[in-house]
Amino acid sequence: MKKESITKKKIKKQALILFNENDAFSISTNHIAVATKISSGNFYYHYKNKEDIILDIYQDMIEKFEELNSFEKILNSKTPLEELSNLYDLYLDIFWEYRFIMRDSSVLICTLPKLKEIFIQRQNIRIAQIKGLIEYFISKDIFRQMDEDEILLCAKLNWFISTYWQNYISINEEITKESFKEAKDVIFKINITPFLKNNNL
């Protein structure tokens, strides 16, 4: 866990609130400084620009996911599907906490080069992990047999729904905790249940 000053933590906390309640594009560094009750100079002592603070918040989200040790827990569980379902609920809590990233992801990765670089790295890691999990389910006779292409497509679809569902929802309506739960329901109904050997959870 990285060490941070109290002021830096306050800046991130206020930035996250503002980004979640509005959007990452309409909020300026001045808005964040005012909400944190510090001077602009104090803000720029901690962050060079808005991209820096978004990157820092994104890294915090990544750390929270890593702390769950998701894949190790599933592989070591006697009831891996139940463990997966429980972990998805924890994922949804994190997604909700950092919902502006999920909601604004398409534009953020197009406009912030460093974020795009980290995002692609995380995407490749996560898809590989999901692919490994599917292969584990097949080896344990939980999933039916699948060829390599189908496994990879299934892994990519799982990642896509998890990552972009809120972006899709936000086009027509405000995202809510229920819309995050809906993403889990979609993944389980179309990307897990159909592949189960006994077709039940």
Side-chain angles (χ1 to χ4, degrees):
M1 185 66 69
K2 55 194 174 188
K3 291 184 178 179
E4 296 177 324
S5 69
I6 292 173
T7 301
K8 194 167 189 177
K9 288 178 181 178
K10 286 180 178 178
I11 291 170
K12 279 199 294 184
K13 180 180 178 181
Q14 292 303 320
L16 184 56
I17 291 169
L18 290 171
F19 291 154
N20 281 340
E21 290 181 351
N22 302 276
D23 61 68
F25 317 105
S26 63
I27 298 301
S28 68
T29 56
N30 187 56
H31 288 132
I32 299 168
V34 169
T36 312
K37 297 179 181 178
I38 60 172
S39 66
S40 294
N42 197 355
F43 176 92
Y44 289 116
Y45 173 79
H46 295 283
Y47 292 103
K48 290 187 296 184
N49 49 43
K50 191 165 72 173
E51 179 176 6
D52 270 5
I53 194 168
I54 290 174
L55 283 169
D56 204 4
I57 290 171
Y58 183 52
Q59 291 288 1
D60 285 349
M61 187 178 83
I62 290 172
E63 280 187 17
K64 289 202 174 185
F65 274 108
E66 295 301 323
E67 286 169 4
L68 292 176
N69 293 317
S70 305
F71 293 90
E72 292 82 358
K73 285 180 181 176
I74 294 168
L75 296 178
N76 293 321
S77 175
K78 293 181 179 179
T79 54
L81 286 175
E82 185 178 330
E83 186 68 37
L84 176 61
S85 180
N86 292 336
L87 282 165
Y88 255 107
D89 291 334
L90 297 178
Y91 298 161
L92 299 182
D93 287 339
I94 297 173
F95 282 149
W96 176 253
E97 183 179 358
Y98 297 92
R99 57 192 174 277
F100 86 91
I101 293 175
M102 315 311 299
R103 182 193 63 214
D104 304 335
S105 57
S106 295
V107 180
L108 285 172
I109 61 179
C110 287
T111 55
L112 305 178
K114 183 62 178 176
L115 181 69
K116 180 178 181 179
E117 179 186 336
I118 298 171
F119 186 90
I120 290 172
Q121 290 173 356
R122 298 305 306 173
Q123 174 177 274
N124 292 337
I125 291 169
R126 192 61 68 192
I127 290 173
Q129 288 174 323
I130 297 169
K131 182 175 179 288
L133 191 58
I134 294 169
E135 290 168 342
Y136 172 76
F137 285 159
I138 292 170
S139 73
K140 294 296 182 180
D141 273 346
I142 297 170
F143 274 15
R144 64 169 173 76
Q145 288 298 314
M146 302 161 65
D147 62 34
E148 279 294 308
D149 288 343
E150 191 176 17
I151 291 171
L152 182 57
L153 285 173
C154 189
K156 287 180 176 179
L157 181 58
N158 189 300
W159 166 259
F160 181 84
I161 296 169
S162 297
T163 306
Y164 292 106
W165 189 258
Q166 304 316 314
N167 192 287
Y168 156 71
I169 292 294
S170 68
I171 293 172
N172 294 312
E173 58 191 89
E174 185 178 349
I175 62 173
T176 63
K177 284 189 175 181
E178 281 304 308
S179 68
F180 278 88
K181 184 181 181 303
E182 187 179 27
K184 175 187 174 181
D185 293 341
V186 170
I187 288 171
F188 273 74
K189 286 178 182 176
I190 73 168
N191 213 33
I192 293 179
T193 302
F195 298 101
L196 294 176
K197 204 158 189 185
N198 296 321
N199 205 33
N200 56 50
L201 280 173

